[in-house]
């Protein structure tokens, strides 16, 4: 029998992985299907039908607390009759008023940019909905009797993507902004459960696409490209690789990157070999964007790594694409020998900001 190479051996050593993963992030990721199901059930119980006219939807959040709402927007955007925007900063746009629904989402409840937007939304009389596990946001929601969706504490925000995204979708459903979600949620949860088997740590690298991809990306700088539905998945991959594997990664989307970044691939020539491009493809992509992806691949360094979404609903397709990135980032952490959970630089910066 051929001996495994040392890196593959690392990925298949489950007891070493469990020892490295001090906060149980592998287990949390493996449970995402159930998290999605639970988050939908809990939100449906909590959220009342309120089909009155909405002037616009804003989501205020940062990092792991913002990406879930981006995902919801990416999935349901084309069926929304009003604008939906994510604000990753301290100030709300000028158009936000009393007809705007503002979701303030902070896993910890203490993120200053999000709290600042929440304060502005209250001043403008917007319809505020808070999603948090506690902190100052939960306290404020209690004091002011704001609608509050409380999610379980003790996780890394990025591992709570089901709790941070599905309630937003459930609220949009209750407001009549999107159609019935139950089928989408059911399909998505089941797909994630199947994929947890295919990508999980017990599945050897020889038969595990997530481990194989991590081996290809290890030691390099991943550049993740999406288009339309998969643009948000590309962003999620980037964030997950940054935070879990503590590794630089970049993302962009078609067709925009054809109008600038494509030229940037000309230089510096000596760094080209250190990048690995991943395409996240979806069958419903505009034919011209598909053509752009093919033509662009010719001018990129090395072979483009491709992953095509699978599933019927847009929710299942995009969350499954994100899910592969979640696992890849965890295995990249293992290959580096780093614990995927702690994000000391983020915490330290927050401490220094006061
Ligand atoms: O993943 C992380 O830890 C960060 O991206 C956080 O989500 C981000 O700093 C915002 O914090 P919170 O999610 O608590 O609002």
């Amino acid at each position: 029998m051929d001996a495994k190479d040392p890196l593959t051996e690392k990925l298949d050593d489950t007891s070493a992985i469990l020892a490295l993963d001090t906060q149980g992030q592998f287990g949390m990721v493996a449970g995402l299907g159930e998290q999605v199901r639970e988050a939908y059930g809990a939100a449906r119980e909590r959220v009342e039908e309120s089909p009155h006219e909405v002037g616009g939807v804003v989501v205020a959040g940062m990092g792991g607390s913002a990406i879930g709402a981006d995902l919801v927007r990416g999935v349901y955007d084309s069926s929304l009759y009003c604008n939906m925007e994510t604000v990753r900063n301290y100030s709300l746009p000028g158009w936000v008023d009393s007809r705007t629904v503002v979701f303030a989402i902070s896993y910890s409840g203490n993120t200053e940019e999000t709290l600042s937007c929440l304060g502005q939304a209250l001043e403008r009389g917007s319809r505020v909905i808070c999603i948090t596990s506690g902190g100052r946001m939960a306290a404020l929601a209690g004091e002011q009797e704001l609608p509050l969706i409380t999610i379980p504490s003790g996780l890394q925000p990025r591992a709570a993507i089901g709790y941070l995204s599905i309630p937003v979708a459930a609220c949009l459903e209750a407001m009549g902004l999107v159609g019935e979600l139950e089928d989408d949620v059911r399909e998505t949860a089941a797909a994630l459960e199947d994929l947890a088997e295919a990508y999980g740590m017990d599945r050897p690298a020889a038969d595990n696409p997530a481990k194989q991809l991590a081996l290809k990306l290890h030691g390099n700088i991943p550049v993740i490209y999406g288009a339309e539905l998969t643009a948000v998945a590309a962003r999620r991959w980037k964030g997950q690789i940054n935070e879990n594997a503590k590794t630089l990664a970049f993302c962009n989307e078609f067709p925009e990157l054809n109008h600038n970044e494509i030229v940037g691939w000309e230089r510096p020539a000596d760094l080209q070999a250190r990048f690995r491009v991943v395409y996240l493809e979806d069958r419903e992509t505009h034919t011209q964007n598909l053509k752009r992806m093919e033509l662009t691949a010719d001018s990129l360094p090395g072979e483009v790594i491709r992953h095509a979404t699978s599933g019927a609903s847009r929710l299942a397709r995009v969350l499954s694409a994100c899910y592969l990135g979640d696992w890849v980032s965890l295995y990249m952490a293992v290959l580096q020998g780093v614990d995927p959970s702690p994000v000391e630089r983020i915490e330290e910066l927050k401490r220094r900001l006061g």
Side-chain angles (χ1 to χ4, degrees):
M1 210 173 80
D2 288 345
K4 278 188 202 168
D5 83 89
L7 290 177
T8 306
E9 229 161 59
K10 259 186 157 180
L11 292 181
D12 286 344
D13 185 346
T14 45
S15 33
I17 292 178
L18 290 171
L20 186 68
D21 180 23
T22 59
Q23 295 179 29
Q25 215 180 145
F26 271 83
M28 283 313 304
V29 170
L32 185 61
E34 183 51 33
Q35 188 184 125
V36 162
R37 202 176 282 117
E38 184 195 321
Y40 184 63
R44 282 286 291 250
E45 274 175 25
R46 176 75 192 74
V47 173
E48 287 161 25
E49 302 276 317
S50 58
H52 42 270
E53 209 200 324
V54 173
V57 178
V58 163
V59 178
M62 302 300 301
S65 288
I67 190 79
D70 280 351
L71 208 140
V72 171
R73 192 188 62 219
V75 170
Y76 298 108
D77 208 8
S78 56
S79 61
L80 290 176
Y81 64 73
C82 64
N83 186 28
M84 179 170 178
E85 189 175 321
T86 307
V87 175
R88 290 178 163 86
N89 218 315
Y90 292 88
S91 305
L92 294 175
W95 60 264
V96 171
D97 61 17
S98 58
R99 292 171 56 246
T100 313
V101 173
V102 176
F103 290 96
I105 308 182
S106 169
Y107 185 78
S108 62
N110 293 324
T111 297
E112 61 178 36
E113 298 94 317
T114 313
L115 291 170
S116 162
C117 287
L118 170 56
Q120 288 168 30
L122 293 174
E123 277 162 26
R124 294 188 204 177
S126 306
R127 290 172 57 197
V128 170
I129 299 169
C130 298
I131 302 179
T132 183
S133 71
R136 303 218 297 276
M137 185 178 287
L140 187 75
E143 278 158 35
Q144 308 231 4
E145 297 181 6
L146 302 173
L148 168 67
I149 297 178
T150 308
I151 58 178
S153 58
L155 310 177
Q156 285 293 329
R158 59 194 180 280
I161 189 163
Y163 293 130
L164 293 163
S165 59
I166 300 297
V168 175
C171 289
L172 299 182
E173 181 187 28
M175 289 173 210
L177 285 175
V178 300
E180 175 70 44
L181 295 180
E182 203 164 343
D183 289 348
D184 288 10
V185 171
R186 195 177 307 120
E187 188 209 359
T188 304
L192 295 176
E193 281 166 350
D194 288 347
L195 290 172
E197 304 254 314
Y199 301 154
M201 71 171 113
D202 292 334
R203 181 71 63 97
D207 192 27
N208 186 323
K211 290 184 180 179
Q212 288 166 14
L213 201 37
L215 286 165
K216 285 188 185 165
L217 298 179
H218 174 62
N220 296 298
I221 301 172
V223 178
I224 322 298
Y225 286 161
E228 302 165 39
L229 180 67
T230 60
V232 64
R235 187 172 188 152
R236 169 74 176 175
W237 275 59
K238 173 203 162 353
Q240 292 292 81
I241 293 169
N242 293 154
E243 292 188 59
N244 288 337
K246 330 305 180 207
T247 294
L248 267 185
F250 299 95
C251 66
N252 209 332
E253 64 184 280
F254 288 94
E256 176 62 18
L257 75 90
N258 279 165
H259 298 272
N260 35 63
E261 189 160 313
I262 188 174
V263 189
W265 280 109
E266 289 179 22
R267 287 182 181 75
D270 58 328
L271 290 186
Q272 305 263 323
R274 300 303 305 278
F275 291 96
R276 291 284 178 280
V277 179
V278 180
Y279 275 6
L280 300 178
E281 301 171 322
D282 181 67
R283 62 172 185 271
E284 271 178 18
T285 308
H286 191 291
T287 49
Q288 281 302 101
N289 277 333
L290 291 175
K291 201 166 164 187
R292 284 174 181 278
M293 291 172 97
E294 291 315 314
L295 294 172
T296 303
D298 295 340
S299 58
L300 296 173
E303 199 189 329
V304 171
I305 300 166
R306 290 160 186 268
H307 173 72
T309 62
S310 56
S313 67
R314 287 169 66 82
L315 185 67
R317 300 209 304 275
V318 76
L319 255 175
S320 306
C322 291
Y323 202 44
L324 175 60
D326 290 359
W327 285 100
V328 167
S329 67
L330 292 179
Y331 292 127
M332 286 178 73
V334 171
L335 292 170
Q336 307 280 357
V338 295
D339 184 348
S341 293
V343 280
E344 277 153 26
R345 289 187 182 212
I346 297 177
E347 300 307 332
E348 169 67 10
L349 193 70
K350 285 181 180 178
R351 270 195 298 277
R352 290 175 67 189
L353 280 162

